[in-house]
Amino acid sequence: SPSCVQSLLDSEKAIIASPTLGETLMSFSILLHPLSKDRYITARVTRTGSYEPDMDRFIINALPITDNAASDKNSAIQRPWAVDVGANVGFHGLHMARRGANVIAFEPAPDTFELLQCSADLLGSVANSLTPSAGFVKVFQAGASDAESEGEMVRHPGSPGMTTFGNLEKIIGEDKAEKLSGDMIKLVRVENILVELGVPEGPSDLLRLLKVDAEGFELRAFRGINLERFPFQFLTYELFPTMLENAGSDPVDVLVLLRDAGYKCNSDELAGDTRETMNKWISSFLPESHMNVFCELKRT
């Protein structure tokens, strides 16, 4: 396995887990923050073998297994594409790749990025020997926004997953948030990177899955992805109204953007289809309330 694995374990920056998911019990290895640093994701993965079962099911539905071995030996398989914005330690992104997708992952926090990059290298080192073979995970250390920029991040102590370019004032109190030390962290327009990497544009069966969990930057991330140019068939995001508001966005704008882009989501019945009903629904959320929203592009 890559040298980064042993060095992260030896320095006690990480522990390793091997969750098993899905109908064919696929497993992959993942580096997690130590339990002393992450009381949420690490605790859940080590205890139950999963992080968010509803997300696991959505990924399984969105990404039928792609088996490289089943393709003609002379032709490279056309793998589906998945994009994971706010990938964290990569639990969902690694799961996508293990099912055969090529995954482009974005994680801005330097310590979390280091674990994710190592887990991606570890999967890459065994990808072709797995059955079915895995796709790749290409990792960028960057946040996602609607314009190239840079910013500072703050973090919830005890939960590296809640690290944001926004602020945590209304959630944990500003004095409790930890500022990430070091250089400014860059934010990118994901659209530019997808173009550079040759991801198919326009309606395509290979444009399968987009996950956005950007701790309040979801609206900016969607604007910077350009869903007209890259209309992913399946899309999921975390709707956390307080975090969106803290980052200067109106949560209703996210609902409207996805409705106008042609997505049908599991939040539609609750939110209704006018700004008025959406506003009413959003205002019913408690400050710390959030939910995963699951969407599919309507066939026209």
Side-chain angles (χ1 to χ4, degrees), residues 9 47 57 59 75 78 95 100 107 119 122 135 145 165 190 192-193 210 243 245 255 276 284 299:
L9 297 175
R47 195 175 64 240
R57 288 190 293 273
I59 291 169
S75 68
Q78 288 216 297
H95 182 200
E107 174 50 51
S119 293
L122 182 54
S145 191
F165 288 101
V190 170
N192 299 346
I193 289 175
L210 169 64
M243 291 288 267
E245 287 161 3
L255 303 175
E276 192 183 0
S284 73
R299 303 237 174 237

Side-chain angles (χ1 to χ4, degrees), residues 22-43:
E23 69 287 42
T24 54
L25 303 179
M26 286 189 166
S27 63
F28 55 87
S29 294
I30 181 170
L31 290 147
L32 303 168
H33 287 295
L35 200 49
S36 58
K37 186 169 177 174
D38 188 342
R39 301 194 302 265
Y40 296 91
I41 296 175
T42 300

Side-chain angles (χ1 to χ4, degrees), residues 19-28 49-50 53 55-67 95-96 98-100 131-132 208:
T20 299
L21 298 171
E23 69 287 42
T24 54
L25 303 179
M26 286 189 166
S27 63
F28 55 87
S50 174
M55 185 70 75
D56 298 341
R57 288 190 293 273
F58 186 72
I59 291 169
I60 288 165
N61 178 47
L63 290 171
I65 290 168
T66 301
D67 186 0
H95 182 200
M96 295 169 197
R98 187 63 190 86
R99 296 185 67 78
T131 309
R208 291 297 293 184

